[in-house]
mmCIF file of all heavy atoms in Angstrom:
data_model
loop_
_atom_site.group_PDB
_atom_site.id
_atom_site.type_symbol
_atom_site.label_atom_id
_atom_site.label_comp_id
_atom_site.label_asym_id
_atom_site.label_seq_id
_atom_site.Cartn_x
_atom_site.Cartn_y
_atom_site.Cartn_z
ATOM 1 N N ILE P 13 -8.554 11.451 7.257
ATOM 2 C CA ILE P 13 -7.183 11.457 6.514
ATOM 3 C C ILE P 13 -6.417 12.735 6.789
ATOM 4 O O ILE P 13 -5.181 12.623 6.841
ATOM 5 C CB ILE P 13 -7.469 11.227 5.103
ATOM 6 C CG1 ILE P 13 -8.054 9.792 4.813
ATOM 7 C CG2 ILE P 13 -6.104 11.249 4.210
ATOM 8 C CD1 ILE P 13 -8.619 9.605 3.466
ATOM 9 N N ALA P 14 -7.085 13.778 6.856
ATOM 10 C CA ALA P 14 -6.485 15.123 7.101
ATOM 11 C C ALA P 14 -5.743 14.881 8.396
ATOM 12 O O ALA P 14 -4.550 15.523 8.535
ATOM 13 C CB ALA P 14 -7.464 16.183 7.038
ATOM 14 N N TRP P 15 -6.334 14.443 9.351
ATOM 15 C CA TRP P 15 -5.735 14.402 10.799
ATOM 16 C C TRP P 15 -4.598 13.417 10.707
ATOM 17 O O TRP P 15 -3.620 13.626 11.373
ATOM 18 C CB TRP P 15 -6.789 13.985 11.725
ATOM 19 C CG TRP P 15 -7.628 15.172 12.334
ATOM 20 C CD1 TRP P 15 -8.699 15.564 12.026
ATOM 21 C CD2 TRP P 15 -7.066 16.151 13.258
ATOM 22 N NE1 TRP P 15 -9.039 16.719 12.700
ATOM 23 C CE2 TRP P 15 -8.069 17.158 13.440
ATOM 24 C CE3 TRP P 15 -5.767 16.380 14.059
ATOM 25 C CZ2 TRP P 15 -7.901 18.178 14.456
ATOM 26 C CZ3 TRP P 15 -5.603 17.412 14.828
ATOM 27 C CH2 TRP P 15 -6.529 18.322 14.963
ATOM 28 N N GLY P 16 -4.743 12.372 9.925
ATOM 29 C CA GLY P 16 -3.692 11.337 9.908
ATOM 30 C C GLY P 16 -2.473 11.979 9.172
ATOM 31 O O GLY P 16 -1.308 11.765 9.577
ATOM 32 N N ALA P 17 -2.706 12.742 8.045
ATOM 33 C CA ALA P 17 -1.566 13.517 7.412
ATOM 34 C C ALA P 17 -0.935 14.514 8.388
ATOM 35 O O ALA P 17 0.302 14.697 8.453
ATOM 36 C CB ALA P 17 -2.031 14.314 6.175
ATOM 37 N N PHE P 18 -1.802 15.192 9.285
ATOM 38 C CA PHE P 18 -1.267 16.077 10.220
ATOM 39 C C PHE P 18 -0.298 15.493 11.153
ATOM 40 O O PHE P 18 0.767 15.909 11.580
ATOM 41 C CB PHE P 18 -2.291 16.840 11.083
ATOM 42 C CG PHE P 18 -1.821 17.486 12.310
ATOM 43 C CD1 PHE P 18 -1.088 18.748 12.177
ATOM 44 C CD2 PHE P 18 -1.987 16.938 13.536
ATOM 45 C CE1 PHE P 18 -0.577 19.317 13.245
ATOM 46 C CE2 PHE P 18 -1.443 17.443 14.637
ATOM 47 C CZ PHE P 18 -0.760 18.625 14.452
ATOM 48 N N TRP P 19 -0.787 14.271 11.736
ATOM 49 C CA TRP P 19 0.036 13.558 12.685
ATOM 50 C C TRP P 19 1.310 13.064 12.114
ATOM 51 O O TRP P 19 2.423 12.973 12.711
ATOM 52 C CB TRP P 19 -0.652 12.442 13.386
ATOM 53 C CG TRP P 19 -1.756 12.966 14.368
ATOM 54 C CD1 TRP P 19 -3.035 12.775 14.244
ATOM 55 C CD2 TRP P 19 -1.507 13.701 15.578
ATOM 56 N NE1 TRP P 19 -3.760 13.328 15.188
ATOM 57 C CE2 TRP P 19 -2.861 14.079 16.057
ATOM 58 C CE3 TRP P 19 -0.465 14.236 16.040
ATOM 59 C CZ2 TRP P 19 -2.859 14.786 17.154
ATOM 60 C CZ3 TRP P 19 -0.548 14.993 17.294
ATOM 61 C CH2 TRP P 19 -1.795 15.196 17.818
ATOM 62 N N GLY P 20 1.381 12.665 10.863
ATOM 63 C CA GLY P 20 2.573 12.384 10.167
ATOM 64 C C GLY P 20 3.413 13.504 9.982
ATOM 65 O O GLY P 20 4.676 13.498 10.223
ATOM 66 N N TYR P 21 2.893 14.750 9.784
ATOM 67 C CA TYR P 21 3.655 16.001 9.569
ATOM 68 C C TYR P 21 4.356 16.378 10.913
ATOM 69 O O TYR P 21 5.419 16.669 11.028
ATOM 70 C CB TYR P 21 2.696 17.039 9.123
ATOM 71 C CG TYR P 21 3.086 18.384 9.401
ATOM 72 C CD1 TYR P 21 3.948 19.054 8.549
ATOM 73 C CD2 TYR P 21 2.206 19.235 10.254
ATOM 74 C CE1 TYR P 21 4.229 20.380 8.793
ATOM 75 C CE2 TYR P 21 2.583 20.534 10.378
ATOM 76 C CZ TYR P 21 3.610 21.144 9.728
ATOM 77 O OH TYR P 21 3.774 22.463 9.923
ATOM 78 N N ALA P 22 3.455 16.202 11.953
ATOM 79 C CA ALA P 22 3.886 16.501 13.197
ATOM 80 C C ALA P 22 5.113 15.550 13.692
ATOM 81 O O ALA P 22 6.210 16.005 14.256
ATOM 82 C CB ALA P 22 2.869 16.475 14.338
ATOM 83 N N GLY P 23 4.841 14.237 13.451
ATOM 84 C CA GLY P 23 5.880 13.332 13.806
ATOM 85 C C GLY P 23 7.172 13.483 13.112
ATOM 86 O O GLY P 23 8.251 13.409 13.744
ATOM 87 N N LEU P 24 7.116 13.729 11.917
ATOM 88 C CA LEU P 24 8.316 13.913 10.993
ATOM 89 C C LEU P 24 8.985 15.316 11.415
ATOM 90 O O LEU P 24 10.273 15.461 11.421
ATOM 91 C CB LEU P 24 8.049 14.024 9.546
ATOM 92 C CG LEU P 24 7.937 12.586 8.999
ATOM 93 C CD1 LEU P 24 7.552 12.644 7.509
ATOM 94 C CD2 LEU P 24 9.247 11.736 9.096
ATOM 95 N N SER P 25 8.202 16.363 11.813
ATOM 96 C CA SER P 25 8.806 17.596 12.282
ATOM 97 C C SER P 25 9.707 17.303 13.542
ATOM 98 O O SER P 25 10.724 17.867 13.681
ATOM 99 C CB SER P 25 7.581 18.573 12.629
ATOM 100 O OG SER P 25 6.961 18.928 11.387
ATOM 101 N N ILE P 26 9.025 16.510 14.539
ATOM 102 C CA ILE P 26 9.773 16.280 15.662
ATOM 103 C C ILE P 26 11.073 15.358 15.465
ATOM 104 O O ILE P 26 12.177 15.771 15.954
ATOM 105 C CB ILE P 26 8.862 15.577 16.781
ATOM 106 C CG1 ILE P 26 7.748 16.380 17.169
ATOM 107 C CG2 ILE P 26 9.710 15.063 17.950
ATOM 108 C CD1 ILE P 26 6.616 15.881 17.864
ATOM 109 N N PHE P 27 10.909 14.421 14.498
ATOM 110 C CA PHE P 27 11.989 13.700 14.027
ATOM 111 C C PHE P 27 13.081 14.501 13.524
ATOM 112 O O PHE P 27 14.286 14.348 13.812
ATOM 113 C CB PHE P 27 11.512 12.669 13.062
ATOM 114 C CG PHE P 27 12.662 11.795 12.331
ATOM 115 C CD1 PHE P 27 13.299 10.799 13.022
ATOM 116 C CD2 PHE P 27 13.062 12.218 11.046
ATOM 117 C CE1 PHE P 27 14.325 10.004 12.365
ATOM 118 C CE2 PHE P 27 14.182 11.528 10.406
ATOM 119 C CZ PHE P 27 14.804 10.465 11.152
ATOM 120 N N GLY P 28 12.696 15.459 12.597
ATOM 121 C CA GLY P 28 13.718 16.418 12.048
ATOM 122 C C GLY P 28 14.377 17.309 13.010
ATOM 123 O O GLY P 28 15.590 17.490 13.021
ATOM 124 N N ALA P 29 13.556 17.764 14.078
ATOM 125 C CA ALA P 29 14.198 18.528 15.078
ATOM 126 C C ALA P 29 15.163 17.765 15.935
ATOM 127 O O ALA P 29 16.331 18.259 16.065
ATOM 128 C CB ALA P 29 12.975 19.058 16.014
ATOM 129 N N VAL P 30 14.990 16.476 16.162
ATOM 130 C CA VAL P 30 15.850 15.631 17.043
ATOM 131 C C VAL P 30 17.097 15.426 16.099
ATOM 132 O O VAL P 30 18.239 15.481 16.506
ATOM 133 C CB VAL P 30 15.227 14.276 17.431
ATOM 134 C CG1 VAL P 30 16.280 13.461 17.972
ATOM 135 C CG2 VAL P 30 14.107 14.634 18.401
ATOM 136 N N ALA P 31 16.923 15.088 14.764
ATOM 137 C CA ALA P 31 18.060 14.788 13.846
ATOM 138 C C ALA P 31 18.980 15.937 13.779
ATOM 139 O O ALA P 31 20.207 15.725 13.813
ATOM 140 C CB ALA P 31 17.437 14.399 12.475
ATOM 141 N N TYR P 32 18.426 17.217 13.600
ATOM 142 C CA TYR P 32 19.234 18.266 13.404
ATOM 143 C C TYR P 32 19.899 18.722 14.705
ATOM 144 O O TYR P 32 21.131 19.253 14.675
ATOM 145 C CB TYR P 32 18.385 19.550 12.873
ATOM 146 C CG TYR P 32 18.303 19.540 11.474
ATOM 147 C CD1 TYR P 32 17.172 19.241 10.761
ATOM 148 C CD2 TYR P 32 19.248 20.172 10.606
ATOM 149 C CE1 TYR P 32 17.024 19.223 9.396
ATOM 150 C CE2 TYR P 32 19.165 20.220 9.248
ATOM 151 C CZ TYR P 32 17.998 19.736 8.528
ATOM 152 O OH TYR P 32 17.958 19.785 7.223
ATOM 153 N N ALA P 33 19.313 18.272 15.863
ATOM 154 C CA ALA P 33 20.032 18.703 17.086
ATOM 155 C C ALA P 33 20.955 17.588 17.568
ATOM 156 O O ALA P 33 21.783 17.942 18.445
ATOM 157 C CB ALA P 33 18.865 18.826 18.137
ATOM 158 N N THR P 34 21.041 16.458 16.806
ATOM 159 C CA THR P 34 21.993 15.485 17.133
ATOM 160 C C THR P 34 22.857 15.013 15.991
ATOM 161 O O THR P 34 23.942 15.591 15.832
ATOM 162 C CB THR P 34 21.214 14.190 17.762
ATOM 163 O OG1 THR P 34 20.323 13.764 16.712
ATOM 164 C CG2 THR P 34 20.437 14.519 19.039
ATOM 165 N N VAL P 35 22.385 14.133 15.187
ATOM 166 C CA VAL P 35 23.124 13.504 14.174
ATOM 167 C C VAL P 35 23.692 14.600 13.134
ATOM 168 O O VAL P 35 24.879 14.645 12.834
ATOM 169 C CB VAL P 35 22.340 12.535 13.245
ATOM 170 C CG1 VAL P 35 23.182 11.931 12.249
ATOM 171 C CG2 VAL P 35 21.841 11.413 14.247
#
Side-chain angles (χ1 to χ4, degrees):
I13 297 170
W15 276 103
F18 164 76
W19 288 117
Y21 160 72
L24 280 177
S25 295
I26 295 170
F27 171 81
V30 173
Y32 272 97
T34 56
V35 177

